[in-house]
Amino acid sequence: MSDSNMPKTYEPGAAEAKWRPVWQNESCFHGDPKSAKPAYSIVIPPPNVTGILTMGHVLNNTLQDILIRRKKMMGFEVCWFPGTDHAGIATESKVEAYLREKENTGRDKLGRGEFIKRVWEWKEQYGGTIVKQLKTLGTACAWERARFTMDDGLSDAVRKVFVELYEKGLIHRGKRMINWCPASKTALSDEEVIYKDVDGAFHHFKYPLSDGSGFLEIATTRPETMLGDTAVAVNPEDKRYKNIVGKTIDLPLTDRVIPVVADEHADPEFGTGCVKITPAHDPNDFLVGQRHDLEFVNIMNDDASMNTAAGPEFEGLDRFKCRKKVVEMMKETGLLVKIEPHRHSVGYSERGDVPIEPRISEQWFVKMDELAKPAMEAVRNGDIKFHPERWTKTFFHWMENIKDWCISRQIWWGHRIPAWYNDETGETYVGVQSPEEAGKPGKWRQDEDVLDTWFSSWLWPFSIMGWPEETDEQKFFYPTNDLVTGPDIIFFWVARMIMAGIEFKGEIPFKNVYFTSIIRDAGGKKLSKSLGNSPDPLDVIEQYGADALRFSIIYIAPLGQDILYSNEKCEIGRNFANKLWNAARFRSIQSGGSANFAEKSEPAILAELWNDERLGSNNRWILARLAQTAEAVNKSLDAFRFHEAAHTLYDFVWSEFCDWYIECAKNDFKNVETRDKTLDTFDYALFATLKLLHPFMPFITEELTHQLGYITESAILADSPYPNGDELLKVITPDKKLLAGMSAKFAVVKAARNLRASYNIPPSKKIDYIFKPADAETAEFLEAESSSIITLTRAESFAIDADFEPKSAAAPSIVTDAGAVFMSLEGLVDLDAERAKLAKQKKEIKGWIKGSTAKLANEKFLAKAPPKVVEEARAKLAETRAKLARVEESLASLG
């Protein structure tokens, strides 16, 4: 092999453009359900059809790609099922905004049929953006299998599930207190409400008793809701109000009279013990209202503006403007007692990002407690495992306190609820077919609402494979193996998929769930477009390359901990890719070596190399370390410790293969006796390393494998076997003496190089080194390696002397675990000039240390300076003190 045509530097864009279309060919990652291989499958968490690529997508999909590529290389028939989610509320809002901007129209003007048509048109034009972006990462999905949650087949699955649950009595319709989003004008499930701490206030009002005997003082954070009060409650055990229960109150700002009721909801220890009751606008008050048969007065429209029931002075006002006006009027009437600042938790609509309103509404619900039981058992008995395991506790806490799921949404984009009403007969019909298709006579109207987006997503692991039809894909690939997702949707999606899989397929949907880390910026803030700290991954890919981004984000993502990301950290992956490229290019310019790995298995090639007596210590060492690295990487990946595997590979490639083995190989290539075996070993080790790295960095590893001719032109690297450390270690037994000896050798070389650098001795000058070994075994091994050590240190000589004692001060040394390395300065350094130079450095450094110490002892500096500046000053001081110690050590060595 000798290829001078290999570019000097790695060009990520060229490699990505070359290999991306190759992998997207159906034959590469399609997944054959008729295969005789064992099955391995994963389903993509379907991104919203409105979405664009984020760093969260990069992390999630890189992890999935590592899983799928490695399993393919391990001999599995793999399939990564992709698709997108119709994202009801998000998409409807997006298209409405688009229509307003482009056509000055909206859903109300267009009507339901035309609006839905426009959404489909928008989806066809813009909905594929995130899929195209995901492909830039090199994701090995079976893209020709991509599904959309509103495809015909998936819609059939949704209708079938709804009907089955309805017929089992697990789906029902009723009036309840629900979460209402005034922005999206739809009901929300509890999981779609995000709680935020906000600065509010307790407003203390006086409510006058109708008989003129006094007032009751109540406090509220939502003064506008008093217009819908229908009672005041006191605790039945509260003696203060024993004679008040049963009386009535003239509700201020209205013409209504409301009762005082006794109810345990009122806490005697909190405030005055009196609680205003607004049954139509508070979930706890709703229950009180039911217990006491109170009137339910809804005072708000669906956009949270005030309606006619609020009174003519407030009708049409926004809820917050109404709040302000109520407080002003209560103050004017002398009924405002005081206002106290109060920081409290407020529920916000996840999509609308506005405070939700509790509201009584007729909605559809799924009864969840029975569905939850087998799902909890699957996790409890270990059929499904969570990684990190701590999320199991979170899962059980939610499942054990699960509530009915509100599944109806008051929007148009989504799966319309398959329920019809006959207004003449009062009959309700629920079916997969329409009443007309089912042959039911009469005039029917379909329910206007659509189903919660998650009602289709919870069926994803099997609906994407063609359920409810019987398909080969389900027989072979279901249940899937692993799921990679964010912990923020453990309730929305993960728990519900487990329930649905068991209920409708009779099997769990997956065996392992890996929860990704939260990505934050360098300052610890969660990446967010609104904060302006969320970089565009496509820009990062253009600057650093897809492999650099993929590897870097895994490298900095410890299991179960947040990721602190900045674009600069992608230099880790870019520099690593360049290091790998340079190693391969070094090999490409060496002539000789067959590099033909197609005819024999990896263990067979290794056995042939290992059993050759001419192999040499450098080659045996790299093969032993390669086998140990393969073992460690596989153990890490089996345990979903991706970050650990990335670090293991980085350290092996950078520190051992490139920094040491290549340096040793340069010398061995010059020797006729060692050249051929070193070329064979180099090729074997480099090819195995590229295979180990392929799931992490697919583009550069594919390119280098073909550049070096390790596989045929028509093959892809993912079809090569993944190095199995256990199998390799059965072929070779790493010699502990060899590994210890090589560690000693590299420690000695490093010490010798550091000694040369300490005295600024140029590489062109030859140096005499003396090594005083720590033991006889080390001495024996390094004696055999002396020629290699001389080459690696550019030495004149390397002598081993167990009894060596320096006769003059001009022999500085560095002590290692293997022994002490001495360097003779005679004839190399002007000792007087060196002493003077070091003495000057010492004086300057001590002066700087004195000033820095004084600054850090100054309380004014510590109080005013930002913490980061103080930490940097302390770190610099510590670094300078260490430098002073080195200068003093060098001075002492010169006598």
Side-chain angles (χ1 to χ4, degrees):
M1 182 188 300
S2 180
D3 184 5
S4 57
N5 294 322
M6 188 171 174
K8 289 185 178 180
T9 57
Y10 176 50
E11 298 168 2
E16 289 161 20
K18 177 179 178 181
W19 294 110
R20 195 180 298 120
V22 173
W23 297 333
Q24 289 167 19
N25 184 299
E26 279 194 26
S27 62
C28 287
F29 294 97
H30 177 72
D32 180 7
K34 300 291 188 181
S35 173
K37 297 177 182 178
Y40 178 85
S41 62
I42 52 179
V43 295
I44 198 171
N48 289 353
V49 72
T50 59
I52 58 171
L53 197 67
T54 66
M55 283 300 169
H57 291 121
V58 170
L59 173 62
N60 188 295
N61 287 277
T62 297
L63 292 169
Q64 291 175 83
D65 201 48
I66 290 170
L67 291 172
I68 209 78
R69 287 179 182 272
R70 175 175 175 251
K71 287 294 184 179
K72 182 174 175 65
M73 297 174 79
M74 290 172 68
F76 288 80
E77 187 65 34
V78 302
C79 193
W80 181 3
F81 291 87
T84 50
D85 192 286
H86 67 278
I89 296 174
T91 303
E92 184 156 313
S93 299
K94 186 94 171 179
V95 175
E96 275 238 77
Y98 174 83
L99 290 172
R100 280 196 303 271
E101 181 185 345
K102 300 293 184 181
E103 302 179 29
N104 192 31
T105 189
R107 74 173 217 163
D108 293 334
K109 288 183 181 178
L110 292 171
R112 185 170 195 143
E114 183 61 25
F115 177 73
I116 290 175
K117 179 184 173 185
R118 295 296 188 92
V119 179
W120 276 108
E121 290 173 355
W122 183 94
K123 183 259 178 188
E124 293 305 314
Q125 186 171 356
Y126 300 105
T129 300
I130 194 163
V131 169
K132 294 172 186 173
Q133 292 174 332
L134 282 171
K135 289 178 180 179
T136 64
L137 274 177
T139 45
C141 291
W143 288 112
E144 68 285 352
R145 293 185 179 276
R147 303 295 299 273
F148 178 53
T149 51
M150 286 198 40
D151 285 350
D152 288 344
L154 277 75
S155 296
D156 291 343
V158 168
R159 284 191 294 271
K160 177 179 173 63
V161 164
F162 185 96
V163 173
E164 283 189 12
L165 292 177
Y166 178 80
E167 290 175 348
K168 284 185 175 183
L170 295 178
I171 282 184
H172 60 280
R173 189 176 186 230
K175 280 193 173 183
R176 291 195 193 177
M177 178 67 67
I178 51 93
N179 306 299
W180 184 265
C181 173
S184 305
K185 299 180 184 177
T186 182
L188 303 173
S189 67
D190 290 342
E191 291 73 37
E192 292 169 292
V193 178
I194 307 300
Y195 286 89
K196 301 180 183 181
D197 287 336
V198 299
D199 291 319
F202 264 130
H203 300 80
H204 292 255
F205 295 149
K206 290 192 291 188
Y207 277 18
L209 290 162
S210 300
D211 62 7
S213 60
F215 302 87
L216 293 183
E217 184 180 325
I218 62 93
T220 179
T221 58
R222 302 168 67 210
E224 69 280 8
T225 63
M226 69 169 288
L227 302 172
D229 286 358
T230 58
V232 170
V234 295
N235 193 283
E237 302 301 320
D238 194 335
K239 295 177 181 178
R240 292 174 295 176
Y241 304 110
K242 190 173 182 180
N243 297 324
I244 301 295
V245 174
K247 289 190 176 187
T248 59
I249 283 171
D250 292 334
L251 183 63
L253 311 185
T254 75
D255 58 3
R256 290 189 291 113
V257 176
I258 62 175
V260 179
V261 300
D263 194 280
E264 291 184 354
H265 170 58
D267 182 358
E269 304 298 322
F270 187 76
T272 63
C274 300
V275 183
K276 61 187 284 300
I277 302 298
T278 320
H281 294 279
D282 182 274
N284 292 314
D285 293 1
F286 174 79
L287 298 175
V288 176
Q290 286 183 324
R291 287 196 290 269
H292 296 274
D293 196 24
L294 299 175
E295 186 181 3
F296 289 70
V297 179
N298 175 25
I299 57 169
M300 291 187 192
N301 297 311
D302 59 7
D303 63 355
S305 63
M306 311 311 287
N307 62 22
T308 54
E313 292 188 77
F314 305 101
E315 185 179 0
L317 288 179
D318 169 79
R319 54 182 164 165
F320 300 114
K321 288 182 179 178
C322 180
R323 177 178 299 179
K324 187 176 180 181
K325 187 167 184 177
V326 164
V327 174
E328 289 173 353
M329 291 181 69
M330 290 295 279
K331 184 177 181 181
E332 289 169 4
T333 57
L335 296 176
L336 174 64
V337 179
K338 61 181 176 180
I339 299 175
E340 294 178 312
H342 176 61
R343 188 167 179 80
H344 62 132
S345 183
V346 175
Y348 274 69
S349 165
E350 185 187 37
R351 290 291 177 197
D353 196 30
V354 295
I356 59 108
E357 280 295 334
R359 185 179 189 183
I360 296 173
S361 179
E362 192 164 41
Q363 303 288 342
W364 289 89
F365 298 88
V366 180
K367 187 174 175 59
M368 301 297 285
D369 51 0
E370 289 302 314
L371 295 172
K373 289 175 183 176
M376 285 192 285
E377 184 58 27
V379 175
R380 188 176 287 113
N381 66 22
D383 291 343
I384 297 175
K385 293 182 172 64
F386 289 170
H387 310 270
E389 196 273 336
R390 62 185 169 85
W391 288 109
T392 304
K393 185 177 179 181
T394 305
F395 170 83
F396 280 120
H397 177 74
W398 184 73
M399 293 288 275
E400 288 165 358
N401 297 279
I402 199 165
K403 296 178 182 178
D404 288 359
W405 175 15
C406 177
I407 56 170
S408 46
R409 298 292 180 270
Q410 288 65 55
I411 57 175
W412 288 348
W413 174 244
H415 298 99
R416 195 165 177 180
I417 290 175
W420 289 261
Y421 310 103
N422 188 320
D423 293 329
E424 294 176 357
T425 65
E427 184 184 357
T428 297
Y429 164 77
V430 172
V432 173
Q433 297 177 307
S434 69
E436 291 79 8
E437 291 169 330
K440 296 184 74 67
K443 189 176 182 182
W444 297 87
R445 60 178 177 85
Q446 188 173 0
D447 197 302
E448 293 289 325
D449 293 349
V450 301
L451 288 161
D452 180 9
T453 296
W454 297 102
F455 196 86
S456 53
S457 301
W458 76 326
L459 312 177
W460 187 246
F462 48 92
S463 65
I464 199 173
M465 297 184 194
W467 190 89
E469 300 297 321
E470 289 289 334
T471 63
D472 291 336
E473 282 75 11
Q474 290 174 73
K475 292 174 185 175
F476 189 69
F477 288 117
Y478 188 89
T480 67
N481 297 81
D482 303 320
L483 176 74
V484 178
T485 189
D488 53 330
I489 55 174
I490 188 171
F491 312 131
F492 285 117
W493 196 45
V494 177
R496 289 173 181 162
M497 280 193 292
I498 298 172
M499 291 185 247
I502 296 171
E503 175 69 16
F504 301 108
K505 287 289 293 179
E507 290 183 272
I508 57 173
F510 32 72
K511 302 176 184 72
N512 294 286
V513 183
Y514 179 86
F515 292 106
T516 57
S517 305
I518 295 172
I519 307 178
R520 302 182 183 277
D521 64 18
K525 294 180 180 176
K526 191 173 179 179
L527 294 189
S528 163
K529 288 180 187 175
S530 61
L531 292 176
N533 65 348
S534 183
D536 183 342
L538 297 183
D539 292 341
V540 179
I541 288 172
E542 186 175 349
Q543 182 178 358
Y544 294 95
D547 283 336
L549 174 57
R550 288 170 59 119
F551 187 83
S552 300
I553 207 162
I554 301 301
Y555 188 88
I556 63 174
L559 178 66
Q561 297 179 37
D562 291 354
I563 298 170
L564 296 180
Y565 175 85
S566 64
N567 284 351
E568 291 73 26
K569 289 187 177 178
C570 289
E571 292 176 10
I572 296 169
R574 181 173 63 185
N575 294 343
F576 186 52
N578 289 336
K579 190 85 167 178
L580 192 64
W581 184 269
N582 290 337
R585 189 169 184 277
F586 168 73
R587 173 61 186 95
S588 75
I589 60 177
Q590 310 300 320
S591 60
S594 63
N596 183 1
F597 299 107
E599 297 178 1
K600 296 179 183 177
S601 69
E602 192 167 296
I605 298 169
L606 178 60
E608 190 175 296
L609 284 169
W610 190 259
N611 294 328
D612 194 313
E613 294 181 357
R614 298 170 297 166
L615 194 59
S617 59
N618 294 327
N619 293 325
R620 288 188 183 279
W621 170 75
I622 198 63
L623 292 177
R625 287 297 302 124
L626 172 66
Q628 291 175 330
T629 298
E631 179 190 41
V633 167
N634 279 289
K635 281 184 178 178
S636 295
L637 292 177
D638 286 342
F640 299 92
R641 296 193 297 268
F642 300 95
H643 154 269
E644 186 177 271
H647 277 256
T648 299
L649 285 167
Y650 182 94
D651 293 343
F652 172 75
V653 172
W654 195 291
S655 301
E656 297 184 293
F657 190 84
C658 293
D659 283 359
W660 289 119
Y661 180 65
I662 288 180
E663 289 303 305
C664 294
K666 287 177 182 177
N667 191 38
D668 291 340
F669 283 155
K670 296 173 185 176
N671 187 326
V672 176
E673 294 180 3
T674 59
R675 179 177 175 79
D676 288 345
K677 281 300 161 190
T678 300
L679 285 171
D680 290 344
T681 302
F682 196 110
D683 284 332
Y684 175 84
L686 181 54
F687 184 38
T689 299
L690 293 173
K691 287 189 286 186
L692 285 169
L693 273 169
H694 181 65
F696 296 82
M697 307 177 81
F699 291 107
I700 189 172
T701 52
E702 190 81 70
E703 178 66 17
L704 289 176
T705 300
H706 284 82
Q707 285 274 3
L708 296 169
Y710 289 159
I711 58 177
T712 61
E713 189 175 335
S714 60
I716 62 169
L717 185 51
D719 284 329
S720 300
Y722 200 72
N724 184 318
D726 292 337
E727 287 186 9
L728 299 185
L729 289 170
K730 289 176 184 176
V731 175
I732 66 172
T733 304
D735 186 339
K736 290 183 179 179
K737 281 181 64 175
L738 169 70
L739 294 176
M742 293 298 285
S743 291
K745 171 181 170 178
F746 298 142
V748 165
V749 170
K750 189 175 181 180
R753 288 173 173 174
N754 286 341
L755 283 169
R756 178 191 287 272
S758 296
Y759 292 91
N760 298 313
I761 300 171
S764 58
K765 285 194 175 183
K766 298 292 185 178
I767 297 174
D768 292 318
Y769 290 106
I770 304 96
F771 176 61
K772 186 176 182 178
D775 54 68
E777 196 172 271
T778 302
E780 181 183 358
F781 185 89
L782 294 188
E783 185 69 53
E785 296 293 319
S786 58
S787 174
S788 175
I789 292 171
I790 287 171
T791 302
L792 292 170
T793 58
R794 297 175 184 262
E796 180 68 33
S797 65
F798 179 77
I800 299 176
D801 185 349
D803 301 317
F804 178 75
E805 294 295 338
K807 296 177 181 177
S808 71
S813 65
I814 292 178
V815 178
T816 72
D817 290 341
V821 180
F822 294 85
M823 178 179 73
S824 174
L825 293 178
E826 291 181 12
L828 294 173
V829 174
D830 182 332
L831 297 181
D832 290 335
E834 187 67 19
R835 288 189 193 98
K837 183 186 77 173
L838 292 171
K840 182 182 178 184
Q841 280 185 9
K842 178 180 176 180
K843 183 179 179 181
E844 290 172 351
I845 292 170
K846 288 184 80 172
W848 188 93
I849 288 174
K850 184 178 179 181
S852 181
T853 302
K855 182 170 74 172
L856 285 167
N858 187 322
E859 291 184 5
K860 289 184 179 179
F861 168 73
L862 296 175
K864 292 182 179 180
K868 187 178 179 182
V869 172
V870 175
E871 283 303 310
E872 288 174 350
R874 284 175 176 153
K876 180 67 175 175
L877 178 59
E879 182 184 320
T880 309
R881 282 174 172 158
K883 184 177 179 181
L884 176 62
R886 291 194 297 272
V887 169
E888 288 177 336
E889 186 180 334
S890 296
L891 263 173
S893 70
L894 296 176

